[in-house]
Amino acid sequence: MTHAHTHAHAHQATPAAAHQGTNLARTPLHDLHSHLADHLGETARAWLDQALDEAAAHPGAHGPISVWELRLAEAGRRCGPEHADAARVLILHAAHADTAALTRVYTQGTAAERRAVLHALPHLVPGPEALPLVEDALRTNDTRLLAAAVGPYAARHLDAHQWRHAVLKCLFTGVPVAEVADLDRRAHADAELARMLGDYAVERTAAGRPVPEDLHRVLTLTDPTATPPAPAADHGPNGPNGPNGGDGTHGKES
């Protein structure tokens, strides 16, 4: 199996190179792969292609740990911190990691590997069965993990109560609300979210602390008289456009 891909869309993946927030979860996998192919050195590219081939050839667990899980641990050293998260997402996709495998990596992995799992969720898990991983990340105060947790998977599957608290957690911790996938649609005409934001603003003011600018932005989105936003573009799990020419069995979620 080869991993040669057209680079026609490589420029579209540039934002994902920063490995921050939810860009990796929102970027089509073929664009992630094209970006890495353009920006990694020759040695790192060869390592990544080998890692993807190994993951595709041996997707399940073999012995105490699968070979692709070892490659996840190596990605930072092999690809550099700027590109490691994207490489990990591609390896997870190549291995067709299911919820059980993703949970194992998340539970046993480093903070970087946990981020990669969260970024990979919308590409790999069609239903809500991986929500416990998002919920765990939302309980932390690791801002990079929180930013990864509020991506498209959370937007699709968190219930209203959990989603509102995720938005508040971003405000508490300073994670930009721009990281919250599908924010405009989910916040639109949400009177309960507006009430929670108002209460938080009152608390901040009473304590002599500034109200985050992002709070005002979200509060504006809750206005029921505003024009409802269009549905967010959904790349889904990318099917045949993934780095390993998947068969698309993990289709776009409804």
Side-chain angles (χ1 to χ4, degrees):
M1 180 180 296
T2 63
H3 297 283
H5 292 270
T6 177
H7 294 177
H9 301 292
H11 66 284
Q12 297 176 12
T14 300
H19 73 270
Q20 294 176 349
T22 57
N23 280 327
L24 289 173
R26 303 188 207 197
T27 303
L29 292 175
H30 67 282
D31 285 353
L32 286 184
H33 192 277
S34 294
H35 181 84
L36 290 183
D38 281 348
H39 290 82
L40 290 176
E42 183 178 351
T43 301
R45 281 200 309 272
W47 175 86
L48 179 61
D49 282 345
Q50 180 180 351
L52 294 176
D53 282 339
E54 289 173 339
H58 304 286
H62 295 269
I65 188 168
S66 58
V67 65
W68 58 265
E69 291 179 71
L70 296 174
R71 301 298 174 252
L72 293 177
E74 293 177 15
R77 176 167 54 88
R78 298 286 192 166
C79 299
E82 181 182 3
H83 302 298
D85 282 11
R88 292 186 181 104
V89 171
L90 292 176
I91 292 169
L92 287 168
H93 182 262
H96 297 289
D98 59 13
T99 301
L102 293 167
T103 300
R104 183 175 68 250
V105 172
Y106 182 93
T107 302
Q108 300 176 359
T110 64
E113 290 163 9
R114 290 184 176 203
R115 282 198 311 274
V117 168
L118 294 169
H119 291 316
L121 290 181
H123 300 298
L124 286 169
V125 184
E129 54 268 26
L131 268 180
L133 305 183
V134 173
E135 293 163 355
D136 179 83
L138 291 173
R139 287 192 289 268
T140 75
N141 289 313
D142 180 335
T143 54
R144 295 181 72 189
L145 201 61
L146 288 170
V150 291
Y153 190 81
R156 295 171 196 160
H157 298 299
L158 280 180
D159 65 30
H161 175 77
Q162 292 174 309
W163 185 82
R164 292 179 190 120
H165 281 277
V167 173
L168 266 292
K169 186 68 176 274
C170 288
L171 294 172
F172 294 156
T173 57
V175 172
V177 295
E179 301 291 0
V180 181
D182 216 6
L183 175 67
D184 291 15
R185 181 186 65 82
R186 290 210 59 169
H188 179 71
D190 188 335
E192 177 60 16
L193 179 59
R195 183 196 66 76
M196 293 168 67
L197 293 169
D199 289 348
Y200 180 48
V202 168
E203 292 173 7
R204 297 276 297 188
T205 302
R209 303 177 69 184
V211 176
E213 188 62 35
D214 270 357
L215 185 147
H216 297 294
R217 178 189 168 192
V218 181
L219 193 58
T220 299
L221 294 174
T222 65
D223 182 358
T225 65
T227 302
D234 185 354
H235 298 298
N238 296 287
N241 293 323
N244 297 291
D247 61 7
T249 53
H250 297 289
K252 178 178 175 180
E253 298 170 25
S254 58

